[in-house]
């Protein structure tokens, strides 16, 4: 069945470095993708989204890349800060979102 | 802060009981979606309400039901609680117009079934 998955459960980066979180999806008909950040004890927080007619979108310190050929999505965080520590989820869909399991981003001082 | 609020924040029930969780959507949003998030997992879509009608449903049994009110707030009802229903229940609101349907989540209700 359709699924959205993440390649790595945990990612550890040095403070100030760039972080790249990857996501694979299987539904080739997907046309809307979102990245959420979830801190401990809180609900998912919207970071950035992208539609299938785009291959790149930039926000404040974040960039999402979409490769429809290989059904791959990535989130790049520039100059990672301690406040970026969280679990990051990619999700796809329109009404009911399908989430992956999440990647735990750990920031090393 | 998204402006989506949920109550209660925590709840403990016993197996077989019924529970009602509440959600107030962000101002201007007319669509509410509910998700279940088990520990260490991503959220799973339960259902969505738009204009007081169910507008889509995930793979959850009928004992999970909902309501949406004219002010767009919503309730999630779960009957005959099972131990596996222990999870974080998330509500998300969105504006169902055009193609922009970004969902904004509330803080969730943590349900423990004993």
């Amino acid at each position: 069945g359709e699924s959205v998955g993440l390649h790595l459960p945990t990612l550890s980066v040095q403070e100030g470095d760039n972080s790249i979180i990857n996501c694979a999806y299987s539904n080739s008909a997907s046309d809307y993708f979102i990245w959420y950040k979830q801190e401990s004890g809180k609900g998912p927080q919207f970071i950035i989204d992208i539609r299938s007619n785009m291959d790149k979108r930039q926000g404040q310190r974040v960039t999402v890349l979409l490769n429809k050929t290989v059904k791959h999505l990535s989130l790049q965080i520039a100059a990672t800060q301690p406040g970026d520590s969280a679990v990051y989820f990619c999700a796809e869909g329109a009404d009911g979102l399908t989430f992956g399991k999440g990647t735990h981003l750990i920031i090393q001082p | 802060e998204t402006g989506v609020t949920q109550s209660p924040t925590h709840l403990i029930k016993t197996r077989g009981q019924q529970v009602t969780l509440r959600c107030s959507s962000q101002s201007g949003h007319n669509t509410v979606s509910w998700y279940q998030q088990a520990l260490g997992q991503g959220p799973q879509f339960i259902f969505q309400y738009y204009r007081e009608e169910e507008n889509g449903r995930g793979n959850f049994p009928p004992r999970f039901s909902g309501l949406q009110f004219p002010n767009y707030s919503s309730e999630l009802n779960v009957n005959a609680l099972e131990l596996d229903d222990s999870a974080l229940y998330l509500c998300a609101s969105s504006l169902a117009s055009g193609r922009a349907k970004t969902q904004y989540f509330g803080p969730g209700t943590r349900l423990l079934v004993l």
Side-chain angles (χ1 to χ4, degrees):
Chain A
E2 288 97 13
S3 65
V4 177
L6 296 171
H7 293 310
L8 296 172
T10 302
L11 176 65
S12 182
V13 299
Q14 292 289 126
E15 183 178 346
D17 286 352
N18 297 335
S19 301
I20 299 176
I21 301 171
N22 295 303
C23 179
Y25 64 94
S26 58
N27 183 3
S28 57
S30 296
D31 72 346
Y32 181 57
F33 304 88
I34 313 172
W35 282 100
Y36 285 95
K37 170 187 179 183
Q38 188 173 26
E39 296 174 283
S40 181
K42 297 184 178 180
Q45 176 188 349
F46 170 79
I47 301 173
I48 192 168
D49 58 4
I50 188 168
R51 297 206 173 272
S52 58
N53 61 351
M54 303 172 70
D55 53 20
K56 180 179 180 179
R57 192 166 187 221
Q58 289 184 291
Q60 186 177 15
R61 277 201 312 120
V62 295
T63 301
V64 55
L65 298 177
L66 176 63
N67 185 330
K68 295 179 287 293
T69 302
V70 295
K71 292 186 280 188
H72 183 268
L73 191 68
S74 69
L75 176 70
Q76 301 179 3
I77 305 173
T80 310
Q81 303 169 358
D84 295 328
S85 288
V87 177
Y88 289 80
F89 293 98
C90 64
E92 62 89 12
D95 297 319
L97 296 174
T98 300
F99 283 78
K101 290 185 178 180
T103 291
H104 186 194
L105 179 63
I106 298 171
I107 313 303
Q108 305 277 4
Chain B
E1 296 296 327
T2 62
V4 179
T5 60
Q6 294 186 242
S7 63
T9 55
H10 296 82
L11 202 52
I12 300 175
K13 291 285 189 179
T14 56
R15 194 170 46 182
Q17 285 188 311
Q18 178 266 341
V19 69
T20 297
L21 310 181
R22 295 177 175 82
C23 171
S24 291
S25 59
Q26 184 171 319
S27 178
H29 284 184
N30 55 13
T31 302
V32 173
S33 305
W34 286 92
Y35 293 81
Q36 180 194 68
Q37 186 176 24
L39 201 60
Q41 303 291 319
Q44 288 200 334
F45 175 64
I46 302 175
F47 45 56
Q48 183 180 85
Y49 276 82
Y50 170 63
R51 291 186 174 178
E52 303 177 50
E53 297 284 336
E54 189 177 289
N55 186 43
R57 189 179 184 95
N59 189 26
F60 280 82
R63 60 189 185 85
F64 286 78
S65 63
L67 285 172
Q68 187 180 30
F69 300 98
N71 66 354
Y72 306 128
S73 66
S74 177
E75 287 182 354
L76 165 66
N77 299 291
V78 186
N79 293 322
L81 283 166
E82 301 177 359
L83 298 180
D84 285 349
D85 295 333
S86 295
L88 180 69
Y89 288 85
L90 295 161
C91 161
S93 75
S94 55
L95 184 60
S97 66
R99 297 176 67 201
K101 295 184 178 181
T102 304
Q103 296 186 19
Y104 296 91
F105 284 84
T109 293
R110 176 77 60 187
L111 173 64
L112 177 61
V113 182
L114 301 175

